[in-house]
Amino acid sequence: MKKNEIRKHYFLDKYVIISPKRGKRPHTTKICQEDPTVSKTCFMCPDAKRKPVYEIHDDKGNWIIRVLNNDFPALSLDNKYAYGKQELVVETPLHNKELHEFPIEHIKKVLDVYSERYESLMKLEKIRYVLVFKNEGGKAGESISHSHSQVIALPMIPPMIREEILAIDKYQMEHKSCPYCDIINDEKKSPRVAWEDANIFALCPFASESPYGVWFIPKRHVRSLHDMNQAEKESLAHAIKYISAKIESLDISYNYFFHNSIEDCDHHMVLKFAPRPNVWAGLELGTGIVINTVPPEDAAKFYNKGTKKKVLRKKKIKVSA
Ligand SMILES: [Zn+2]
Ligand SMILES: [Zn+2]
């Protein structure tokens, strides 16, 4: 790509400027934090006697993933002025292990916990929307180094989500099809495919707002993690491990978040990875138009480097129960 390009989102009224010349390489801005094997002050480590909201155990009865209430929540169920709930998913008892270092089977279990908490919090009274997300690295808003993700339950559907829901409804009316199913179909031969197997399509979207941004789209039209079968979750765990390891190799922070279908809609679930090598400045905050210095085609090339794509594409995933 030689010239800068203004690109429009597949189905939203959103624009980005793809500008590879502005920065040949994103700044490496991941803020390194103290990284001891075990932190004496870390409340997520097993030594801290905390009462979990939910946990899963290994064969010996030790917890391997646990969910805690957020001690300093922005929202709580006992505050009618800021009603909601916030939880932390402690992804491992080990203080110094990151998500991309977990075995596939463990990442799959983290997905199961996300799914369980999503379904539980959606059942709470007056809760309209639940977001599962992760902040990895200082620039992405992470404040504790122990590997964890978060779940927030909101009493309203956030405007950004509402906008996307309306755009998907409109698309479905006009095309009689799902925009994400169509994106998989339209992009499958494009230079923007970052990773793929029989169940998951990982795409650097055409108008990516994030350098190295990736969408993980299940190939089957599923509404949420809850609707995914074991083989699909295993594929997603593979994709997450592969892509997050690649992002970690660049030493940049990232966020990811799950967009599940809301109740009464039949929308396609998508997991969005947003690496955060740069800080949004005046243009981004003042117009909502983002400058992305890494063309998605280059990002996909980076993700594919060193892999035999054909092998990956043909790889069959074992169905486990
Ligand atoms: Zn810890
Ligand atoms: Zn679909």
Side-chain angles (χ1 to χ4, degrees):
M1 195 176 132
K2 289 194 182 87
K3 287 194 174 140
N4 290 355
E5 255 181 58
I6 296 178
R7 292 188 178 183
K8 187 178 178 292
H9 185 283
Y10 296 105
F11 57 87
L12 288 174
D13 212 12
K14 279 173 87 175
Y15 296 87
V16 299
I17 305 169
I18 306 289
S19 173
K21 283 187 189 140
R22 263 176 76 94
K24 272 281 168 226
R25 213 178 266 184
H27 310 291
T28 57
T29 46
K30 186 167 176 177
I31 297 169
C32 291
Q33 314 204 346
E34 42 74 51
D35 189 26
T37 316
V38 177
S39 166
K40 284 197 179 104
T41 53
C42 174
F43 71 91
M44 295 189 193
C45 277
D47 282 352
K49 302 278 178 256
R50 292 286 302 247
K51 205 165 163 268
V53 179
Y54 178 81
E55 58 182 22
I56 56 170
H57 303 92
D58 62 13
D59 298 341
K60 293 176 191 126
N62 299 314
W63 69 267
I64 50 170
I65 300 165
R66 75 189 329 196
V67 179
L68 303 173
N69 274 323
N70 189 319
D71 282 345
F72 303 99
L75 307 172
S76 59
L77 296 177
D78 58 4
N79 181 358
K80 66 175 180 176
Y81 300 104
Y83 180 82
K85 193 166 192 312
Q86 277 177 276
E87 295 179 347
L88 301 167
V89 178
V90 185
E91 298 156 6
T92 168
L94 303 170
H95 188 77
N96 64 341
K97 277 271 182 282
E98 304 278 356
L99 182 77
H100 67 282
E101 299 170 299
F102 300 168
I104 299 292
E105 201 46 41
H106 192 91
I107 298 177
K108 194 164 155 258
K109 289 197 170 93
V110 172
L111 295 175
D112 286 335
V113 173
Y114 288 166
S115 180
E116 199 283 335
R117 294 323 292 158
Y118 177 85
E119 300 297 324
S120 291
L121 295 189
M122 275 307 288
K123 287 189 189 117
L124 290 174
E125 206 186 341
K126 293 189 200 136
I127 289 301
R128 303 285 311 283
Y129 195 78
V130 173
L131 185 76
V132 175
F133 65 100
K134 181 174 171 77
N135 304 327
E136 169 60 36
K139 277 277 167 183
E142 183 193 44
S143 50
I144 302 146
S145 55
H146 196 125
S147 193
H148 68 283
S149 14
Q150 302 187 50
V151 189
I152 186 162
L154 299 163
M156 84 298 262
I157 296 174
M160 194 185 91
I161 302 292
R162 189 182 294 277
E163 195 190 330
E164 178 148 354
I165 289 167
L166 291 174
I168 293 173
D169 284 345
K170 187 165 169 263
Y171 185 101
Q172 286 179 333
M173 289 269 283
E174 283 172 9
H175 296 80
K176 308 277 178 256
S177 58
C178 157
Y180 286 105
C181 286
D182 286 355
I183 289 169
I184 295 174
N185 209 30
D186 295 345
E187 290 281 30
K188 65 185 173 203
K189 292 203 173 78
S190 84
R192 289 177 286 275
V193 182
W195 191 93
E196 182 183 16
D197 74 358
N199 301 309
I200 298 292
F201 188 74
L203 172 74
C204 298
F206 175 74
S208 180
E209 289 191 338
S210 315
Y212 303 103
V214 182
W215 292 354
F216 297 79
I217 315 174
K219 288 194 175 172
R220 191 165 64 88
H221 182 91
V222 289
R223 297 175 69 254
S224 65
L225 270 175
H226 184 71
D227 291 347
M228 288 175 87
N229 62 34
Q230 295 300 322
E232 287 166 334
K233 274 192 234 164
E234 189 170 329
S235 286
L236 185 56
H238 269 278
I240 290 172
K241 184 176 170 81
Y242 180 79
I243 297 293
S244 59
K246 282 276 190 178
I247 297 171
E248 290 285 347
S249 75
L250 293 169
D251 200 26
I252 49 182
S253 305
Y254 64 88
N255 300 109
Y256 67 63
F257 40 89
F258 286 81
H259 280 169
N260 290 336
S261 178
I262 59 155
E263 274 175 354
D264 305 327
C265 280
D266 180 27
H267 294 172
H268 206 127
M269 180 208 107
V270 187
L271 165 62
K272 296 182 175 176
F273 259 66
R276 300 281 297 279
N278 39 26
V279 178
W280 285 6
L283 176 73
E284 286 84 354
L285 296 174
T287 66
I289 296 173
V290 171
I291 295 180
N292 176 0
T293 56
V294 182
E297 296 75 21
D298 290 0
K301 219 179 266 173
F302 164 74
Y303 288 124
N304 281 294
K305 216 190 236 154
T307 60
K308 288 182 187 139
K309 211 167 172 188
K310 280 193 180 129
V311 175
L312 269 179
R313 283 186 171 175
K314 281 182 184 161
K315 198 178 155 208
K316 290 244 163 66
I317 298 292
K318 266 193 305 191
V319 182
S320 48

